[in-house]
């Protein structure tokens, strides 16, 4: 194998998950390993690239890339090792992750500068990859539609969401706010609707009036970049990374203070003029290409752990039996814990 990526837990929502998805849309010469994985995330990756649940197999490759952790170090032998820095270490409550013999890749200048200042190590700047098929959909017309696609953890601004909704409610704004998240936490305002995460979120972003992101800090922030590429302006906190992402107050964003003291309700009602947006260029083609013979429809040998009715393929599988299954489907079933894959490429 040439390029291997490892991320311990691939969740239903998150920046690293989006990172892997866009990499897979641009390059196929890569293999992803994980310990825990959301089935839908794994399924869409496996349609493009090779994906495996890590179960103790030994991995040999030219380049090994990890995100956040290298807990499988005893099983990896690579010519080059890289750690991809997805957070601003000056803002998080844990020390910078460093490993002997590793090189470092930062997803923004902000991340690069923080890491280098704290550690004395050098990091290479490569902006996150992104490739969108922008849906051709009109905006909602009946009222102001806000959308957020985020975890509801404290650093992602849950308290600010509550506060901003009260500001809008008290101002008599006719709005609805859909929050797509993996944790069901209620809010006071009846205008907020908690929605389950969805992989086709771009459709809803495109139709919305604003995307709202009220985080304490961000290393890059895919949601903001995706929204601006869909010509949907954002309401966001004054994050240091905004300048290098070309997010401008009054042009493509309404930028608010961390304490929400300067929320301009009238501007939110009025809206922003049309704008064009191009994200910072990513240079992952320095490491990745499309020289891969991966075929998602190639058959692999699996052993079922339980009785399965695959509704997508309309196939019934008996428990504790061996079957030949399409590689992309086997990756999905493996993520759900339904099968063990026996012959990996």
């Amino acid at each position: 194998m040439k390029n291997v990526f490892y991320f311990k837990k691939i969740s239903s929502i998150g920046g690293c998950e989006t990172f892997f998805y866009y990499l897979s849309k641009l390059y196929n010469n890569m293999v992803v390993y994980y310990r825990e994985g959301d089935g839908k995330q794994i399924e869409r990756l496996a349609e493009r690239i090779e994906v495996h649940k890590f179960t103790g197999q030994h991995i040999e490759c030219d380049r090994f890339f990890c995100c956040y952790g290298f807990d499988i170090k005893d099983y990896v032998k690579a010519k080059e090792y890289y750690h991809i820095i997805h957070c601003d270490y000056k803002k998080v409550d844990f020390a910078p992750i460093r490993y002997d013999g590793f090189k470092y890749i930062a997803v923004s200048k902000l991340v690069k500068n923080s890491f280098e200042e704290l550690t004395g190590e050098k990091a290479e700047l490569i902006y996150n990859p992104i490739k969108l098929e922008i849906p051709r959909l009109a905006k909602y017309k009946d009222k102001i539609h806000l959308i957020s696609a985020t975890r509801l953890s404290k650093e992602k601004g849950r308290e600010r969401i509550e506060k901003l909704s009260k500001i809008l409610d008290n101002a008599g704004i006719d709005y609805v706010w859909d929050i797509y998240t993996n944790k069901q936490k209620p809010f006071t305002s009846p205008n907020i609707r908690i929605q389950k995460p969805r992989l086709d979120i771009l459709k809803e972003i495109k139709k919305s009036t604003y995307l709202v992101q009220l985080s304490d800090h961000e290393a890059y922030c895919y949601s903001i970049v995706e929204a601006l590429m869909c010509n949907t302006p954002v309401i966001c906190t004054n994050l240091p990374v905004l300048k290098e992402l070309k997010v401008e107050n009054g042009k493509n964003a309404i930028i608010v203070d961390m304490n929400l003291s300067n929320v301009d309700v009238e501007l939110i009602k009025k809206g922003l003029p049309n704008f064009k947006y191009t994200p910072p260029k990513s240079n992952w083609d320095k490491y990745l290409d499309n020289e891969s013979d991966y075929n998602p429809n190639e058959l692999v040998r699996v052993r079922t752990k339980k009785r399965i009715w695959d509704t997508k393929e309309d196939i019934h599988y008996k428990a504790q039996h061996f079957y030949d299954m399409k590689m992309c489907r086997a990756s999905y079933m493996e993520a759900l814990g339904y099968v063990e894959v026996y012959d990996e490429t």
Side-chain angles (χ1 to χ4, degrees), residues 160 164 167 210-216 218 224 228 232-265 267-268 271-272 277:
R160 292 190 193 94
L164 179 58
I167 292 173
Y210 299 98
L211 177 129
V212 185
Q213 189 69 46
L214 303 175
S215 305
D216 293 350
E218 292 283 350
I224 288 177
L228 296 183
T232 297
V234 300
I235 300 173
C236 61
T237 41
N238 54 347
L239 303 162
V241 78
L242 295 183
K243 184 175 180 181
E244 62 179 298
L245 294 182
K246 308 174 191 176
V247 182
E248 300 179 53
N249 188 45
K251 180 178 179 180
N252 53 27
I254 297 175
I255 301 175
V256 299
D257 293 337
M258 290 291 173
N259 60 8
L260 304 189
S261 63
N262 64 335
V263 175
D264 191 335
V265 174
L267 181 56
I268 292 174
L272 298 177
Y277 178 79

Side-chain angles (χ1 to χ4, degrees), residues 100-152:
D100 290 340
F102 269 66
K103 298 177 183 178
Y104 300 93
I105 295 174
V107 302
S108 65
K109 289 179 183 177
L110 173 72
V111 166
K112 171 182 167 68
N113 293 340
S114 292
F115 179 78
E116 291 182 344
E117 182 179 332
L118 290 172
T119 67
E121 301 269 11
K122 291 296 183 182
E124 179 182 7
L125 169 63
I126 303 183
Y127 284 110
N128 279 338
I130 188 165
K131 182 182 180 182
L132 299 188
E133 285 78 43
I134 300 173
R136 300 171 66 91
L137 298 167
K139 300 289 184 187
Y140 289 112
K141 298 294 185 182
D142 56 332
K143 59 182 68 179
I144 291 176
H145 276 250
L146 307 179
I147 186 171
S148 297
T150 183
R151 300 189 306 275
L152 286 179

Side-chain angles (χ1 to χ4, degrees), residues 50 60 75 138 147 199 204 213 219 242 271-273 285 312 333:
E50 194 171 338
E60 290 193 21
Y75 301 87
I147 186 171
L199 298 183
E204 295 305 317
Q213 189 69 46
L242 295 183
L272 298 177
D285 53 4
K312 182 176 180 179
M333 292 293 184

Side-chain angles (χ1 to χ4, degrees), residues 326-337:
K326 291 179 182 177
M327 187 175 289
C328 59
R329 201 62 183 160
S331 295
Y332 171 69
M333 292 293 184
E334 184 181 40
L336 296 179

Side-chain angles (χ1 to χ4, degrees), residues 11 15 231 242:
S11 301
N231 299 114
L242 295 183

Side-chain angles (χ1 to χ4, degrees), residues 13-237:
I13 187 171
C16 285
E17 289 76 7
T18 304
F19 167 78
F20 283 127
Y21 175 58
Y22 286 129
L23 275 182
S24 75
K25 292 185 72 173
L26 290 162
Y27 313 101
N28 61 21
N29 191 7
M30 57 183 290
V31 181
V32 171
Y33 282 86
Y34 67 94
R35 281 190 185 270
E36 299 177 62
D38 174 76
K40 291 183 178 179
Q41 290 280 7
I42 301 303
E43 183 178 32
R44 72 171 180 172
L45 286 178
E47 291 173 353
R48 304 172 185 276
I49 61 172
E50 194 171 338
V51 186
H52 298 300
K53 182 179 179 67
F54 178 76
T55 56
Q57 57 271 66
H58 287 271
I59 300 168
E60 290 193 21
C61 57
D62 289 345
R63 289 186 286 259
F64 177 83
F65 303 87
C66 64
C67 303
Y68 287 109
F70 188 33
D71 58 300
I72 63 170
K73 62 181 179 180
D74 294 335
Y75 301 87
V76 178
K77 182 179 180 181
K79 296 177 182 177
E80 297 178 342
Y81 295 85
Y82 297 85
H83 177 232
I84 306 168
I85 311 168
H86 288 279
C87 67
D88 179 358
Y89 280 116
K90 283 188 174 181
K91 299 294 184 180
V92 296
D93 59 358
F94 54 88
I97 297 173
R98 301 164 68 185
Y99 300 107
D100 290 340
F102 269 66
K103 298 177 183 178
Y104 300 93
I105 295 174
V107 302
S108 65
K109 289 179 183 177
L110 173 72
V111 166
K112 171 182 167 68
N113 293 340
S114 292
F115 179 78
E116 291 182 344
E117 182 179 332
L118 290 172
T119 67
E121 301 269 11
K122 291 296 183 182
E124 179 182 7
L125 169 63
I126 303 183
Y127 284 110
N128 279 338
I130 188 165
K131 182 182 180 182
L132 299 188
E133 285 78 43
I134 300 173
R136 300 171 66 91
L137 298 167
K139 300 289 184 187
Y140 289 112
K141 298 294 185 182
D142 56 332
K143 59 182 68 179
I144 291 176
H145 276 250
L146 307 179
I147 186 171
S148 297
T150 183
R151 300 189 306 275
L152 286 179
S153 51
K154 185 179 184 300
E155 75 276 8
K156 293 298 182 179
R158 187 187 188 284
E159 294 177 3
R160 292 190 193 94
I161 292 174
E162 186 75 71
K163 187 173 181 178
L164 179 58
S165 68
K166 289 180 179 179
I167 292 173
L168 299 178
D169 290 344
N170 292 337
I173 302 296
D174 187 17
Y175 76 99
V176 65
W177 191 344
D178 287 317
I179 300 177
Y180 293 84
T181 186
N182 56 349
K183 290 187 178 180
Q184 304 294 313
K185 295 185 178 181
F187 288 89
T188 304
S189 175
N191 295 310
I192 292 180
R193 305 185 300 198
I194 300 297
Q195 310 281 12
K196 292 182 179 180
R198 52 189 294 178
L199 298 183
D200 60 344
I201 193 66
L202 287 182
K203 294 179 181 179
E204 295 305 317
I205 292 176
K206 177 65 176 178
K207 292 187 291 184
S208 296
T209 315
Y210 299 98
L211 177 129
V212 185
Q213 189 69 46
L214 303 175
S215 305
D216 293 350
H217 49 82
E218 292 283 350
Y220 178 86
C221 196
Y222 262 119
S223 290
I224 288 177
V225 173
E226 289 171 330
L228 296 183
M229 291 182 71
C230 289
N231 299 114
T232 297
V234 300
I235 300 173
C236 61
T237 41

